[in-house]
Amino acid sequence: MDGMKASDSRTPSAELLCQMALVHRSQGNFKASISLFQQALSVATSAGDEKMKAEAANGLGTIFLFMSNYAEAEQYYTQAQDVSTRIGDGLSQARALRGMGSTYHHQNKLTQAEESYTRARNIFSRLGHLDGQASVSRALGNIFSDRSQYYKAEELYNQANNIYARIGNDLGHGDTLMRLGELFETQSQYPKAEEFFNRALEKYTRIGHNMGRANIKSALGHVYRVQGLNTRAAPLLAEARDLYALIGDSATEKNCSDWLAVVSAEEDSSTASPCPGDDDVSSPAHQH
């Protein structure tokens, strides 16, 4: 006991603080999570625990990214990257680079995002971290989709899908199938879009992911709507509306209700015609 400070036993470890912060983050309690991650960062810094310092900085970067505070996110991801590089913690470094790539992507800095994602994927590959490889391949697919380089985007999404199928990650697989559906929808390849949306729906239904189910039913509703198949679109939009209500996403629930009113007022047609108010009703933003 002689060499132990009395306060040591009462001070939570950086690891415990990070775990508590993750719980709060998963519950959407960002303010509490930020406070706990900052405490963890302070404790780790005082203790000279570089590994936990990088983990806390990564955690803070992710929260500020969720909050669209990109300057703060970039600052913490940079700190995490610097520390993890110095101590040779490849996994933490790859996570920081992936987070940095997402931060750049949200700001439409596609070149910087691609560079960060590519560096992250190289590290994940070297470590044999399959889930990391898949997530970054999908993120790179999003970059190429935004550039309208659809063939390259499809190739990257398929790479992610193959990995997710191999490791049994149904959520990752479902999210990537949804992105493929959106990719083909953008190119007006509706039968292929429908195929991938339905495959994604199977994954989300299997794991009980209501947000994924809602997004897919909404997406399928709009695929039918733009083809003038309003009698097929209406029940899907109604199901999506009810799921958004169940989740508590009132804004997207109203959006679905507005679109449901539009398609219910129209008869099926060979092509969807613009109708009054279309410009004021935006298609629900899909959750990725």
Side-chain angles (χ1 to χ4, degrees), residues 51-75:
K51 186 176 178 65
M52 290 309 304
K53 186 176 174 182
E55 184 170 330
N58 260 331
L60 283 163
T62 300
I63 292 183
F64 284 115
L65 175 60
F66 285 167
M67 298 170 68
S68 302
N69 189 335
Y70 302 125
E72 291 279 351
E74 191 172 334
Q75 174 189 324

PDB file of all heavy atoms in Angstrom, residues 51-75:
ATOM      1  N   LYS A  51      -2.366   3.502 -25.769  1.00  0.00           N
ATOM      2  CA  LYS A  51      -3.389   2.718 -26.467  1.00  0.00           C
ATOM      3  C   LYS A  51      -4.785   3.227 -26.126  1.00  0.00           C
ATOM      4  O   LYS A  51      -5.623   3.420 -27.016  1.00  0.00           O
ATOM      5  CB  LYS A  51      -3.261   1.236 -26.092  1.00  0.00           C
ATOM      6  CG  LYS A  51      -4.192   0.311 -26.871  1.00  0.00           C
ATOM      7  CD  LYS A  51      -3.937  -1.145 -26.513  1.00  0.00           C
ATOM      8  CE  LYS A  51      -4.885  -2.078 -27.248  1.00  0.00           C
ATOM      9  NZ  LYS A  51      -4.683  -2.057 -28.703  1.00  0.00           N
ATOM     10  N   MET A  52      -5.062   3.451 -24.839  1.00  0.00           N
ATOM     11  CA  MET A  52      -6.372   3.956 -24.433  1.00  0.00           C
ATOM     12  C   MET A  52      -6.554   5.420 -24.841  1.00  0.00           C
ATOM     13  O   MET A  52      -7.678   5.863 -25.094  1.00  0.00           O
ATOM     14  CB  MET A  52      -6.559   3.799 -22.925  1.00  0.00           C
ATOM     15  CG  MET A  52      -6.715   2.360 -22.464  1.00  0.00           C
ATOM     16  SD  MET A  52      -7.981   1.422 -23.399  1.00  0.00           S
ATOM     17  CE  MET A  52      -9.428   2.448 -23.164  1.00  0.00           C
ATOM     18  N   LYS A  53      -5.454   6.142 -24.925  1.00  0.00           N
ATOM     19  CA  LYS A  53      -5.523   7.527 -25.388  1.00  0.00           C
ATOM     20  C   LYS A  53      -6.041   7.561 -26.835  1.00  0.00           C
ATOM     21  O   LYS A  53      -6.912   8.373 -27.184  1.00  0.00           O
ATOM     22  CB  LYS A  53      -4.129   8.162 -25.292  1.00  0.00           C
ATOM     23  CG  LYS A  53      -4.076   9.648 -25.604  1.00  0.00           C
ATOM     24  CD  LYS A  53      -2.653  10.162 -25.373  1.00  0.00           C
ATOM     25  CE  LYS A  53      -2.491  11.603 -25.814  1.00  0.00           C
ATOM     26  NZ  LYS A  53      -1.097  12.077 -25.625  1.00  0.00           N
ATOM     27  N   ALA A  54      -5.518   6.662 -27.669  1.00  0.00           N
ATOM     28  CA  ALA A  54      -5.964   6.579 -29.064  1.00  0.00           C
ATOM     29  C   ALA A  54      -7.425   6.140 -29.137  1.00  0.00           C
ATOM     30  O   ALA A  54      -8.199   6.662 -29.950  1.00  0.00           O
ATOM     31  CB  ALA A  54      -5.078   5.612 -29.840  1.00  0.00           C
ATOM     32  N   GLU A  55      -7.809   5.191 -28.271  1.00  0.00           N
ATOM     33  CA  GLU A  55      -9.197   4.700 -28.291  1.00  0.00           C
ATOM     34  C   GLU A  55     -10.174   5.804 -27.904  1.00  0.00           C
ATOM     35  O   GLU A  55     -11.230   5.967 -28.528  1.00  0.00           O
ATOM     36  CB  GLU A  55      -9.351   3.506 -27.346  1.00  0.00           C
ATOM     37  CG  GLU A  55     -10.738   2.887 -27.395  1.00  0.00           C
ATOM     38  CD  GLU A  55     -10.833   1.565 -26.662  1.00  0.00           C
ATOM     39  OE1 GLU A  55      -9.821   0.842 -26.598  1.00  0.00           O
ATOM     40  OE2 GLU A  55     -11.932   1.260 -26.161  1.00  0.00           O
ATOM     41  N   ALA A  56      -9.816   6.574 -26.867  1.00  0.00           N
ATOM     42  CA  ALA A  56     -10.691   7.670 -26.432  1.00  0.00           C
ATOM     43  C   ALA A  56     -10.799   8.744 -27.514  1.00  0.00           C
ATOM     44  O   ALA A  56     -11.889   9.277 -27.763  1.00  0.00           O
ATOM     45  CB  ALA A  56     -10.164   8.267 -25.131  1.00  0.00           C
ATOM     46  N   ALA A  57      -9.674   9.057 -28.147  1.00  0.00           N
ATOM     47  CA  ALA A  57      -9.692  10.064 -29.214  1.00  0.00           C
ATOM     48  C   ALA A  57     -10.532   9.590 -30.395  1.00  0.00           C
ATOM     49  O   ALA A  57     -11.296  10.359 -30.981  1.00  0.00           O
ATOM     50  CB  ALA A  57      -8.263  10.371 -29.666  1.00  0.00           C
ATOM     51  N   ASN A  58     -10.422   8.312 -30.746  1.00  0.00           N
ATOM     52  CA  ASN A  58     -11.263   7.747 -31.809  1.00  0.00           C
ATOM     53  C   ASN A  58     -12.747   7.849 -31.438  1.00  0.00           C
ATOM     54  O   ASN A  58     -13.582   8.191 -32.281  1.00  0.00           O
ATOM     55  CB  ASN A  58     -10.903   6.277 -32.058  1.00  0.00           C
ATOM     56  CG  ASN A  58     -10.000   6.085 -33.259  1.00  0.00           C
ATOM     57  OD1 ASN A  58     -10.026   6.864 -34.208  1.00  0.00           O
ATOM     58  ND2 ASN A  58      -9.182   5.038 -33.229  1.00  0.00           N
ATOM     59  N   GLY A  59     -13.052   7.539 -30.180  1.00  0.00           N
ATOM     60  CA  GLY A  59     -14.436   7.617 -29.717  1.00  0.00           C
ATOM     61  C   GLY A  59     -14.994   9.027 -29.819  1.00  0.00           C
ATOM     62  O   GLY A  59     -16.140   9.227 -30.254  1.00  0.00           O
ATOM     63  N   LEU A  60     -14.192  10.012 -29.442  1.00  0.00           N
ATOM     64  CA  LEU A  60     -14.624  11.405 -29.537  1.00  0.00           C
ATOM     65  C   LEU A  60     -14.802  11.822 -31.004  1.00  0.00           C
ATOM     66  O   LEU A  60     -15.766  12.520 -31.338  1.00  0.00           O
ATOM     67  CB  LEU A  60     -13.603  12.313 -28.843  1.00  0.00           C
ATOM     68  CG  LEU A  60     -13.675  12.303 -27.309  1.00  0.00           C
ATOM     69  CD1 LEU A  60     -12.390  12.868 -26.698  1.00  0.00           C
ATOM     70  CD2 LEU A  60     -14.886  13.106 -26.817  1.00  0.00           C
ATOM     71  N   GLY A  61     -13.892  11.369 -31.851  1.00  0.00           N
ATOM     72  CA  GLY A  61     -14.021  11.692 -33.269  1.00  0.00           C
ATOM     73  C   GLY A  61     -15.337  11.187 -33.834  1.00  0.00           C
ATOM     74  O   GLY A  61     -16.032  11.899 -34.575  1.00  0.00           O
ATOM     75  N   THR A  62     -15.708   9.959 -33.436  1.00  0.00           N
ATOM     76  CA  THR A  62     -16.938   9.361 -33.952  1.00  0.00           C
ATOM     77  C   THR A  62     -18.176  10.114 -33.470  1.00  0.00           C
ATOM     78  O   THR A  62     -19.109  10.355 -34.251  1.00  0.00           O
ATOM     79  CB  THR A  62     -17.016   7.882 -33.536  1.00  0.00           C
ATOM     80  OG1 THR A  62     -15.891   7.188 -34.071  1.00  0.00           O
ATOM     81  CG2 THR A  62     -18.290   7.237 -34.049  1.00  0.00           C
ATOM     82  N   ILE A  63     -18.194  10.524 -32.220  1.00  0.00           N
ATOM     83  CA  ILE A  63     -19.352  11.275 -31.714  1.00  0.00           C
ATOM     84  C   ILE A  63     -19.491  12.609 -32.427  1.00  0.00           C
ATOM     85  O   ILE A  63     -20.591  12.991 -32.850  1.00  0.00           O
ATOM     86  CB  ILE A  63     -19.248  11.517 -30.198  1.00  0.00           C
ATOM     87  CG1 ILE A  63     -19.378  10.214 -29.448  1.00  0.00           C
ATOM     88  CG2 ILE A  63     -20.338  12.468 -29.740  1.00  0.00           C
ATOM     89  CD1 ILE A  63     -19.354  10.359 -27.961  1.00  0.00           C
ATOM     90  N   PHE A  64     -18.382  13.324 -32.578  1.00  0.00           N
ATOM     91  CA  PHE A  64     -18.465  14.626 -33.255  1.00  0.00           C
ATOM     92  C   PHE A  64     -18.829  14.459 -34.729  1.00  0.00           C
ATOM     93  O   PHE A  64     -19.496  15.314 -35.313  1.00  0.00           O
ATOM     94  CB  PHE A  64     -17.159  15.404 -33.070  1.00  0.00           C
ATOM     95  CG  PHE A  64     -17.020  16.004 -31.693  1.00  0.00           C
ATOM     96  CD1 PHE A  64     -16.028  15.573 -30.826  1.00  0.00           C
ATOM     97  CD2 PHE A  64     -17.906  16.975 -31.254  1.00  0.00           C
ATOM     98  CE1 PHE A  64     -15.912  16.106 -29.549  1.00  0.00           C
ATOM     99  CE2 PHE A  64     -17.801  17.525 -29.973  1.00  0.00           C
ATOM    100  CZ  PHE A  64     -16.802  17.083 -29.116  1.00  0.00           C
ATOM    101  N   LEU A  65     -18.445  13.333 -35.333  1.00  0.00           N
ATOM    102  CA  LEU A  65     -18.880  13.039 -36.695  1.00  0.00           C
ATOM    103  C   LEU A  65     -20.394  12.843 -36.721  1.00  0.00           C
ATOM    104  O   LEU A  65     -21.084  13.384 -37.599  1.00  0.00           O
ATOM    105  CB  LEU A  65     -18.167  11.784 -37.211  1.00  0.00           C
ATOM    106  CG  LEU A  65     -18.599  11.255 -38.584  1.00  0.00           C
ATOM    107  CD1 LEU A  65     -18.380  12.294 -39.676  1.00  0.00           C
ATOM    108  CD2 LEU A  65     -17.835   9.970 -38.918  1.00  0.00           C
ATOM    109  N   PHE A  66     -20.932  12.079 -35.773  1.00  0.00           N
ATOM    110  CA  PHE A  66     -22.387  11.878 -35.671  1.00  0.00           C
ATOM    111  C   PHE A  66     -23.112  13.219 -35.549  1.00  0.00           C
ATOM    112  O   PHE A  66     -24.216  13.380 -36.074  1.00  0.00           O
ATOM    113  CB  PHE A  66     -22.732  11.031 -34.446  1.00  0.00           C
ATOM    114  CG  PHE A  66     -22.442   9.564 -34.586  1.00  0.00           C
ATOM    115  CD1 PHE A  66     -22.461   8.737 -33.463  1.00  0.00           C
ATOM    116  CD2 PHE A  66     -22.137   9.000 -35.809  1.00  0.00           C
ATOM    117  CE1 PHE A  66     -22.202   7.375 -33.571  1.00  0.00           C
ATOM    118  CE2 PHE A  66     -21.856   7.639 -35.924  1.00  0.00           C
ATOM    119  CZ  PHE A  66     -21.894   6.827 -34.814  1.00  0.00           C
ATOM    120  N   MET A  67     -22.487  14.156 -34.832  1.00  0.00           N
ATOM    121  CA  MET A  67     -23.102  15.456 -34.578  1.00  0.00           C
ATOM    122  C   MET A  67     -22.826  16.470 -35.685  1.00  0.00           C
ATOM    123  O   MET A  67     -23.207  17.630 -35.577  1.00  0.00           O
ATOM    124  CB  MET A  67     -22.597  15.996 -33.231  1.00  0.00           C
ATOM    125  CG  MET A  67     -22.973  15.128 -32.038  1.00  0.00           C
ATOM    126  SD  MET A  67     -22.121  15.619 -30.510  1.00  0.00           S
ATOM    127  CE  MET A  67     -22.892  17.226 -30.210  1.00  0.00           C
ATOM    128  N   SER A  68     -22.162  16.007 -36.747  1.00  0.00           N
ATOM    129  CA  SER A  68     -21.803  16.865 -37.893  1.00  0.00           C
ATOM    130  C   SER A  68     -20.875  18.002 -37.500  1.00  0.00           C
ATOM    131  O   SER A  68     -20.825  19.042 -38.166  1.00  0.00           O
ATOM    132  CB  SER A  68     -23.065  17.431 -38.576  1.00  0.00           C
ATOM    133  OG  SER A  68     -23.905  16.394 -39.010  1.00  0.00           O
ATOM    134  N   ASN A  69     -20.121  17.808 -36.410  1.00  0.00           N
ATOM    135  CA  ASN A  69     -19.110  18.784 -35.996  1.00  0.00           C
ATOM    136  C   ASN A  69     -17.775  18.298 -36.573  1.00  0.00           C
ATOM    137  O   ASN A  69     -16.975  17.647 -35.894  1.00  0.00           O
ATOM    138  CB  ASN A  69     -19.058  18.882 -34.462  1.00  0.00           C
ATOM    139  CG  ASN A  69     -18.187  20.017 -33.978  1.00  0.00           C
ATOM    140  OD1 ASN A  69     -17.273  20.456 -34.680  1.00  0.00           O
ATOM    141  ND2 ASN A  69     -18.454  20.495 -32.780  1.00  0.00           N
ATOM    142  N   TYR A  70     -17.559  18.622 -37.848  1.00  0.00           N
ATOM    143  CA  TYR A  70     -16.458  17.998 -38.590  1.00  0.00           C
ATOM    144  C   TYR A  70     -15.086  18.498 -38.157  1.00  0.00           C
ATOM    145  O   TYR A  70     -14.122  17.736 -38.188  1.00  0.00           O
ATOM    146  CB  TYR A  70     -16.672  18.214 -40.092  1.00  0.00           C
ATOM    147  CG  TYR A  70     -17.991  17.648 -40.566  1.00  0.00           C
ATOM    148  CD1 TYR A  70     -18.924  18.450 -41.244  1.00  0.00           C
ATOM    149  CD2 TYR A  70     -18.344  16.323 -40.306  1.00  0.00           C
ATOM    150  CE1 TYR A  70     -20.144  17.932 -41.658  1.00  0.00           C
ATOM    151  CE2 TYR A  70     -19.569  15.806 -40.713  1.00  0.00           C
ATOM    152  CZ  TYR A  70     -20.456  16.613 -41.387  1.00  0.00           C
ATOM    153  OH  TYR A  70     -21.667  16.102 -41.786  1.00  0.00           O
ATOM    154  N   ALA A  71     -14.982  19.745 -37.743  1.00  0.00           N
ATOM    155  CA  ALA A  71     -13.681  20.268 -37.300  1.00  0.00           C
ATOM    156  C   ALA A  71     -13.200  19.518 -36.058  1.00  0.00           C
ATOM    157  O   ALA A  71     -12.030  19.118 -35.967  1.00  0.00           O
ATOM    158  CB  ALA A  71     -13.779  21.768 -37.018  1.00  0.00           C
ATOM    159  N   GLU A  72     -14.119  19.321 -35.093  1.00  0.00           N
ATOM    160  CA  GLU A  72     -13.766  18.579 -33.877  1.00  0.00           C
ATOM    161  C   GLU A  72     -13.468  17.115 -34.212  1.00  0.00           C
ATOM    162  O   GLU A  72     -12.528  16.521 -33.679  1.00  0.00           O
ATOM    163  CB  GLU A  72     -14.913  18.657 -32.864  1.00  0.00           C
ATOM    164  CG  GLU A  72     -15.131  20.036 -32.271  1.00  0.00           C
ATOM    165  CD  GLU A  72     -14.165  20.343 -31.139  1.00  0.00           C
ATOM    166  OE1 GLU A  72     -13.447  19.428 -30.707  1.00  0.00           O
ATOM    167  OE2 GLU A  72     -14.139  21.502 -30.695  1.00  0.00           O
ATOM    168  N   ALA A  73     -14.281  16.530 -35.081  1.00  0.00           N
ATOM    169  CA  ALA A  73     -14.068  15.124 -35.450  1.00  0.00           C
ATOM    170  C   ALA A  73     -12.691  14.946 -36.067  1.00  0.00           C
ATOM    171  O   ALA A  73     -11.944  14.018 -35.710  1.00  0.00           O
ATOM    172  CB  ALA A  73     -15.145  14.676 -36.442  1.00  0.00           C
ATOM    173  N   GLU A  74     -12.353  15.842 -36.977  1.00  0.00           N
ATOM    174  CA  GLU A  74     -11.052  15.758 -37.650  1.00  0.00           C
ATOM    175  C   GLU A  74      -9.910  15.902 -36.655  1.00  0.00           C
ATOM    176  O   GLU A  74      -8.902  15.180 -36.726  1.00  0.00           O
ATOM    177  CB  GLU A  74     -10.965  16.850 -38.719  1.00  0.00           C
ATOM    178  CG  GLU A  74      -9.788  16.710 -39.655  1.00  0.00           C
ATOM    179  CD  GLU A  74      -9.850  17.710 -40.807  1.00  0.00           C
ATOM    180  OE1 GLU A  74     -10.952  18.148 -41.162  1.00  0.00           O
ATOM    181  OE2 GLU A  74      -8.774  18.037 -41.338  1.00  0.00           O
ATOM    182  N   GLN A  75     -10.082  16.791 -35.694  1.00  0.00           N
ATOM    183  CA  GLN A  75      -9.038  17.018 -34.676  1.00  0.00           C
ATOM    184  C   GLN A  75      -8.774  15.744 -33.876  1.00  0.00           C
ATOM    185  O   GLN A  75      -7.622  15.338 -33.683  1.00  0.00           O
ATOM    186  CB  GLN A  75      -9.478  18.143 -33.735  1.00  0.00           C
ATOM    187  CG  GLN A  75      -8.539  18.369 -32.547  1.00  0.00           C
ATOM    188  CD  GLN A  75      -9.144  19.332 -31.533  1.00  0.00           C
ATOM    189  OE1 GLN A  75      -9.829  20.292 -31.893  1.00  0.00           O
ATOM    190  NE2 GLN A  75      -8.889  19.072 -30.255  1.00  0.00           N
TER     191      GLN A  75
END
